[in-house]
Amino acid sequence: MSDIEAKDKKDGELRSEEFVINMGPQHPSTHGVLYLELRLDGEIVKDCRPHIGYLHRSCEKIAENRTYIQFMPFTDRLDYLASMNNNLGYALAVEKLLNVQVTERAQYIRTIIAELNRVASHLIGIGTFAQDLGAYATPMFYCFRDREIIVELFDELCGGRLTYNYMRIGGVQTDLPAHADKFIKDFIKYERQKLKEYNELLTYNAIFLARTKKIGILKQETAISYAVTGPMLRASGFKWDLRKDEPYMIYDRFKFDIPVGKTGDSWDRFKVRLDEISESLKIIEQAIGGLPAGNPISKVNRVFKGPPGEVYMRTENPRGELGFYLVSDGGLKPYRNKIRSPSFSNLAVLPEMIRGLNVSDAVCVLGSTDIVMGEIDR
Amino acid sequence: MMNLLIGGISVVGFISLSAMFLIWLERKISAHIQNRMGPMICGWHGSLQSIADSLKLLLKENIVPSGADKLVWSLAPFFVTVPVVMAFLTVPFSKTLIVRDLNVGILYVASITSICVLGIFMAGWGSNNKYSLLGGMRSAAQIISYEVPLLLSIVLVVMEAGTLSMQGIVQAQEQGWYVLKPNLAFAFLIYLISSTAEVNRVPFDIPEAESELGAGYHTEYTGMKFAMFFVAEYTNLVVVSAIATTLFLGGWQGPLLPGLFWFLIKVYGLVCLSMWVRWTLPRVRMDQMMTFAWKVLTPLSILNLLVSGWWMVR
Amino acid sequence: MDQTQITQTFNQQLPGAVVEEQSKFLVIKKESLLAAAKILKDSELAFQHLHSVTAVDRKDKIEVVYHIYTYKYRFMLTLKVYLPMTDLTIESLAHLWQSANWLERETYDLFGVKFLNHPDLRRILNPDVWTDYPLRKDFNRPDFYRLPQTEGLKAA
């Protein structure tokens, strides 16, 4: 008789123990190489410890060994689903350091492109979320179909489909192609129709509601304390969007709403993303309508020295607030480039949300946070 | 004896062909739902894809996990596949095409298919993989729960037909399909839902739950053993559809065409319905599904049974 | 709201805490960090959002940089603390702002700044067995990486 059996006999009841399950780093729904150490009691998650770093490339160290311009392609690889937004954030930070003015046309183009990328990124967020809920690939394919149109435009614009390296310090790489105006307008019309379809397929589907409503509630105070930003913060009912509240670039010229949730559950996070798509479409529509003529191409020297000092620039990325903290000592390369990535803080709050839920719900909540590991590990 | 042998062999042949066809069909249907083309390379519109796939699976290495309980692990695929094949023995394909018309036919089918859960649990347990174990546990709970409303809806048909023989039930529907009667139509609905859970398909594919458990109970299986699970899954689908056809849709009966055709049309119609659902809906959660089985479906089917019984003896 | 207001608050409530004031940041004494953070968070300034924690290696010292934000006044405060290379310890802010937990872990991982009273100070991005701090300026990049062999690996 082994010790365990002896113990069973003594207690007179069935011995039960916690069940540790290693979810990831290779798992269909951990969105990359995230490793969650789940402690389960039956199927109830007692505790969760995220382990990150599998994609750590030390971008910040690389930045110290590259000139300002050379680091631009590396920003693509942070949040690879929203490369344009990363490009934009970095370009704005360097421009702030150099005190460079950007032409009107370049600003409009940047806005259009950044918002298009936001739409593309949210589409993936929605699609993968539905996939995590077990809707076998269908919503995912629909979202990728729509994203494909945006990616095609970007492909034509800069030759890349995932990592664009399109923004330049002081402008953009190339002007919009001649037919872009019609192309984007068509896309807006098309996408508005499709959003209605997504509402029918997912948003008000009874099973979808049962799986996401009241699951993984993130209270507003918790969200703020964990420095959660972006759609997750807004889903908790906090109306905060940098584009509206601290407008950078030309966002103060456009009319759009900030969608907010009520309870901060998974459904709210999903709905906020879905609504943000239509708000972004509004911005794109206004921007493409008021696109001024001019030259959007950068006039900044290829080689320049950053003036000594430091800047902090944050922008509203699809996943939250992306910040670049640039410290310059007057050399060709930045002395320090700190990247404050939104997903990093958004993931930190995950254990708070999934404690006491089912494994299925844990997957659902993880999907609703819409994290990108490239940005977390940097 | 000879008849039985020939019947058995033809059933096995039918099953393998139909599973291959269904795998191809499912891939095509899902592809068209999702704006894709699906398999297009092997044969006309990828029609030989399943043959290529089964060849690949046959030639694959059979990997046995070092921590597995080898006997349980190796036996599991058979426990899943064999009962499904055996269930076909009493399914009437047409007036004459039936391997053995047992006088307890429906009882036999119901009992033999419930062995499958043992195989699934064995697979989950024997793999010595936490995900598989969770899958196996979920599967056992799910199938046993849904067996109850499933059988209760079958009982209603037996009450109506007054016989347990499958052929007898088909013949009893000569006046009109059972699905056209209100109480039996309700039973048909319950049967459809419970059978979807019984064969682990979306929205009740919780034991496999790809996004949660990897692949659930068959995570550790490779090669031919995996193929057996795969074949069993699709054959199970055909079995429940065939039973639904026999019990509620008048079996092989129908005008003009020979019985076999009518039978296959109805069966594959139901299969396509299940595929359509699969590629549209998200998955429900374990506890939600159990609640649905015990608090909604079971009371409703008991109520249905009582009311219909009262109506009959009135 | 601007930085002078915060400097005034500090000067009133924590005299001598502010070491240096520049147009973009405030430098405070290491000992008064916790008190200063409490004032920022709990007073009516309402700095609820600890946006980022990081460090800059200045070779002779390490600057720990906090970006703290107030949603009420919409102001981002950059707070710095200078740590001499001989004593890289600083009080943790994790019990004031939950976000500090991971952000401080990252700073510890990459710079080797030890946060006292931190609930769970482990490496976060690099493997636990690492001994280097990669974002320090004196970090030498090895040509070839090899993790120290563990017992399990040796046995295998």
Side-chain angles (χ1 to χ4, degrees):
Chain A
M1 193 159 56
S2 71
D3 295 349
I4 298 168
E5 282 167 11
K7 196 168 174 296
D8 284 351
K9 278 265 168 71
K10 209 171 74 186
D11 293 349
E13 54 187 53
L14 269 177
R15 198 175 55 94
S16 68
E17 61 181 36
E18 271 183 352
F19 186 59
V20 181
I21 194 166
N22 297 321
M23 206 163 136
Q26 290 129 351
H27 188 275
S29 59
T30 49
H31 293 248
V33 281
L34 171 64
Y35 160 30
L36 293 176
E37 189 185 325
L38 296 176
R39 299 190 160 274
L40 304 182
D41 175 11
E43 281 217 30
I44 307 292
V45 179
K46 284 282 159 200
D47 200 8
C48 160
R49 254 167 101 173
H51 294 261
I52 60 173
Y54 291 92
L55 211 57
H56 181 50
R57 296 148 294 179
S58 211
C59 275
E60 295 174 9
K61 189 76 179 176
I62 294 171
E64 289 173 16
N65 299 307
R66 298 280 185 284
T67 65
Y68 290 95
I69 290 178
Q70 280 174 339
F71 187 64
M72 185 67 85
F74 289 91
T75 62
D76 289 331
R77 275 107 183 137
L78 299 174
D79 178 353
Y80 39 78
L81 298 179
S83 300
M84 288 290 190
N85 300 66
N86 298 337
N87 280 181
L88 178 64
Y90 181 67
L92 286 175
V94 179
E95 279 156 18
K96 196 171 169 187
L97 182 73
L98 302 176
N99 213 356
V100 172
Q101 290 302 314
V102 182
T103 60
E104 277 284 289
R105 187 173 172 85
Q107 299 219 13
Y108 270 86
I109 291 178
R110 280 179 174 189
T111 314
I112 294 167
I113 296 303
E115 290 307 313
L116 277 175
N117 205 158
R118 187 186 308 277
V119 172
S121 167
H122 279 339
L123 281 172
I124 294 187
I126 289 166
T128 47
F129 179 44
Q131 171 96 347
D132 290 344
L133 287 177
Y136 269 100
T138 304
M140 176 106 154
F141 270 103
Y142 288 179
C143 290
F144 268 76
R145 170 195 63 193
D146 297 355
R147 173 179 176 269
E148 186 65 24
I149 301 171
I150 300 173
V151 170
E152 254 169 41
L153 178 74
F154 288 174
D155 189 7
E156 206 170 327
L157 208 57
C158 56
R161 284 173 53 87
L162 189 70
T163 50
Y164 307 116
N165 189 20
Y166 174 66
M167 307 279 175
R168 289 287 180 273
I169 290 149
V172 294
Q173 182 195 343
T174 48
D175 205 343
L176 286 178
H179 67 281
D181 185 66
K182 189 178 172 300
F183 190 92
I184 293 171
K185 276 178 184 160
D186 286 350
F187 171 72
I188 292 172
K189 216 159 138 200
Y190 165 87
E191 188 57 35
R192 285 201 172 128
Q193 237 166 20
K194 292 295 171 196
L195 285 177
K196 277 183 204 145
E197 262 181 34
Y198 297 149
N199 276 337
E200 282 164 23
L201 181 68
L202 291 172
T203 318
Y204 301 108
N205 176 321
I207 295 178
F208 188 80
L209 283 172
R211 283 298 308 278
T212 54
K213 273 274 180 193
K214 305 251 156 59
I215 299 299
I217 293 176
L218 179 61
K219 290 205 190 74
Q220 197 173 310
E221 305 85 70
T222 322
I224 290 173
S225 178
Y226 271 94
V228 169
T229 48
M232 275 178 81
L233 179 64
R234 291 193 277 278
S236 300
F238 194 75
K239 201 166 184 172
W240 181 261
D241 191 319
L242 279 182
R243 293 174 294 167
K244 198 95 174 176
D245 293 297
E246 281 196 357
Y248 52 95
M249 267 190 348
I250 50 165
Y251 276 111
D252 45 353
R253 301 184 196 172
F254 305 118
K255 278 201 188 102
F256 61 98
D257 297 327
I258 308 170
V260 284
K262 286 198 184 76
T263 50
D265 54 19
S266 302
W267 189 81
D268 275 344
R269 288 191 277 277
F270 166 83
K271 188 76 168 79
V272 163
R273 285 199 186 92
L274 202 62
D275 291 346
E276 265 182 31
I277 293 180
S278 53
E279 296 306 321
S280 287
L281 292 179
K282 274 189 206 166
I283 298 177
I284 299 166
E285 200 172 32
Q286 292 169 46
I288 199 99
L291 190 67
N295 184 14
I297 297 174
S298 160
K299 292 202 176 61
V300 175
N301 286 344
R302 293 276 165 88
V303 180
F304 57 81
K305 284 183 175 171
E310 58 177 66
V311 289
Y312 188 76
M313 182 70 209
R314 55 190 185 138
T315 52
E316 186 72 32
N317 245 33
R319 276 160 197 82
E321 290 171 16
L322 174 78
F324 283 97
Y325 175 59
L326 285 175
V327 180
S328 163
D329 60 349
L332 288 166
K333 303 165 185 172
Y335 189 74
R336 168 97 173 92
N337 180 359
K338 151 85 184 169
I339 303 154
R340 190 268 178 197
S341 63
S343 293
F344 187 80
S345 298
N346 292 359
L347 176 66
V349 78
L350 183 76
E352 293 278 325
M353 290 196 284
I354 66 176
R355 217 163 274 148
L357 293 177
N358 255 336
V359 179
S360 321
D361 289 337
V363 171
C364 158
V365 173
L366 180 62
S368 76
T369 58
D370 188 23
I371 47 167
V372 168
M373 291 314 287
E375 180 176 63
I376 292 170
D377 295 342
R378 280 158 297 168
Chain B
M1 192 61 213
M2 201 58 200
N3 276 349
L4 206 60
L5 200 66
I6 293 169
I9 289 169
S10 42
V11 159
V12 172
F14 168 74
I15 286 166
S16 346
L17 280 179
S18 108
M20 277 185 181
F21 172 68
L22 283 178
I23 291 167
W24 173 80
L25 190 70
E26 172 128 52
R27 291 177 72 170
K28 283 312 246 194
I29 287 179
S30 70
H32 287 287
I33 286 177
Q34 297 169 348
N35 290 312
R36 302 184 280 123
M37 295 302 284
M40 289 295 282
I41 307 286
C42 289
W44 180 81
H45 279 247
S47 47
L48 301 177
Q49 185 68 44
S50 294
I51 295 171
D53 280 350
S54 23
L55 264 178
K56 180 198 79 177
L57 284 172
L58 268 173
L59 295 174
K60 271 209 162 183
E61 189 189 352
N62 183 20
I63 301 166
V64 184
S66 54
D69 185 336
K70 299 223 169 41
L71 184 68
V72 174
W73 187 81
S74 325
L75 275 179
F78 298 96
F79 270 77
V80 176
T81 321
V82 172
V84 189
V85 179
M86 282 167 73
F88 266 104
L89 293 182
T90 60
V91 172
F93 287 81
S94 77
K95 195 164 188 174
T96 47
L97 215 56
I98 180 166
V99 180
R100 181 59 60 95
D101 186 17
L102 295 177
N103 57 357
V104 288
I106 187 66
L107 195 64
Y108 164 80
V109 172
S111 48
I112 206 90
T113 46
S114 51
I115 298 178
C116 281
V117 63
L118 190 64
I120 289 177
F121 192 72
M122 279 163 75
W125 182 262
S127 296
N128 195 15
N129 174 324
K130 288 173 181 174
Y131 287 112
S132 300
L133 180 59
L134 274 180
M137 268 163 31
R138 284 173 169 200
S139 180
Q142 171 182 344
I143 293 179
I144 289 168
S145 321
Y146 275 87
E147 204 101 296
V148 177
L150 187 88
L151 285 176
L152 285 174
S153 55
I154 290 177
V155 166
L156 192 60
V157 175
V158 174
M159 274 162 63
E160 192 77 28
T163 171
L164 282 169
S165 144
M166 301 284 266
Q167 205 65 282
I169 291 169
V170 174
Q171 269 147 10
Q173 295 181 59
E174 228 160 321
Q175 306 306 319
W177 299 357
Y178 279 163
V179 75
L180 300 174
K181 297 187 177 177
N183 58 341
L184 283 154
F186 191 67
F188 178 59
L189 204 65
I190 291 173
Y191 179 88
L192 267 191
I193 295 170
S194 339
S195 64
T196 312
E198 183 85 9
V199 296
N200 301 331
R201 281 179 77 84
V202 173
F204 306 110
D205 66 329
I206 290 159
E208 284 157 47
E210 187 189 299
S211 55
E212 293 150 27
L213 305 179
Y217 57 87
H218 57 59
T219 307
E220 297 285 358
Y221 285 88
T222 53
M224 208 49 217
K225 287 201 176 77
F226 173 72
M228 282 174 82
F229 278 109
F230 220 62
V231 167
E233 188 190 323
Y234 282 93
T235 315
N236 222 334
L237 189 62
V238 178
V239 169
V240 294
S241 302
I243 296 170
T245 308
T246 312
L247 298 187
F248 298 99
L249 300 179
W252 40 263
Q253 294 178 9
L256 298 174
L257 291 172
L260 181 64
F261 280 82
W262 273 113
F263 180 80
L264 290 180
I265 286 169
K266 287 169 189 172
V267 167
Y268 283 116
L270 285 176
V271 168
C272 287
L273 179 74
S274 156
M275 287 176 181
W276 180 27
V277 169
R278 175 173 183 189
W279 295 98
T280 313
L281 291 179
R283 177 192 308 126
V284 296
R285 209 171 54 215
M286 186 68 193
D287 58 319
Q288 287 167 345
M289 193 194 62
M290 299 296 275
T291 315
F292 189 61
W294 290 108
K295 293 192 180 159
V296 181
L297 282 185
T298 311
L300 275 181
S301 42
I302 292 176
L303 196 71
N304 193 12
L305 202 63
L306 287 176
V307 171
S308 316
W310 172 75
W311 189 261
M312 275 175 208
V313 298
R314 185 178 50 113
Chain C
M1 185 181 202
D2 60 0
Q3 205 172 284
T4 49
Q5 200 181 328
I6 296 158
T7 323
Q8 276 168 13
T9 318
F10 279 165
N11 285 342
Q12 275 167 18
Q13 299 189 19
L14 289 171
V18 179
V19 180
E20 189 184 336
E21 191 190 355
Q22 296 218 9
S23 61
K24 281 183 180 153
F25 58 87
L26 276 183
V27 184
I28 61 168
K29 258 192 339 206
K30 178 178 150 185
E31 291 77 26
S32 46
L33 172 75
L34 203 60
K38 268 188 189 133
I39 290 170
L40 288 175
K41 181 162 182 273
D42 300 332
S43 72
E44 63 91 39
L45 297 169
F47 279 89
Q48 294 172 313
H49 179 80
L50 180 64
H51 192 70
S52 96
V53 177
T54 185
V56 181
D57 183 4
R58 294 287 188 185
K59 288 182 183 137
D60 53 335
K61 61 176 185 267
I62 281 187
E63 304 174 8
V64 181
V65 186
Y66 298 89
H67 288 96
I68 316 175
Y69 191 75
T70 165
Y71 283 114
K72 196 170 163 195
Y73 296 102
R74 298 187 177 178
F75 177 73
M76 175 77 84
L77 174 71
T78 310
L79 202 66
K80 287 193 182 179
V81 178
Y82 292 158
L83 299 180
M85 288 310 252
T86 47
D87 179 23
L88 291 177
T89 54
I90 190 166
E91 204 61 41
S92 165
L93 302 182
H95 58 278
L96 287 175
W97 291 283
Q98 298 275 17
S99 61
N101 188 335
W102 275 33
L103 292 167
E104 284 175 350
R105 271 178 73 188
E106 190 196 333
T107 312
Y108 163 71
D109 188 3
L110 302 176
F111 285 92
V113 177
K114 291 217 167 45
F115 291 87
L116 305 172
N117 301 326
H118 188 282
D120 182 24
L121 196 64
R122 285 178 296 129
R123 282 183 177 269
I124 188 164
L125 294 174
N126 292 315
D128 288 338
V129 289
W130 260 43
T131 47
D132 296 331
Y133 301 109
L135 276 185
R136 290 237 192 119
K137 290 286 174 187
D138 59 0
F139 172 73
N140 282 324
R141 186 177 59 85
D143 291 332
F144 185 71
Y145 284 94
R146 174 171 280 164
L147 291 178
Q149 283 214 336
T150 55
E151 292 300 314
L153 278 175
K154 268 181 202 157

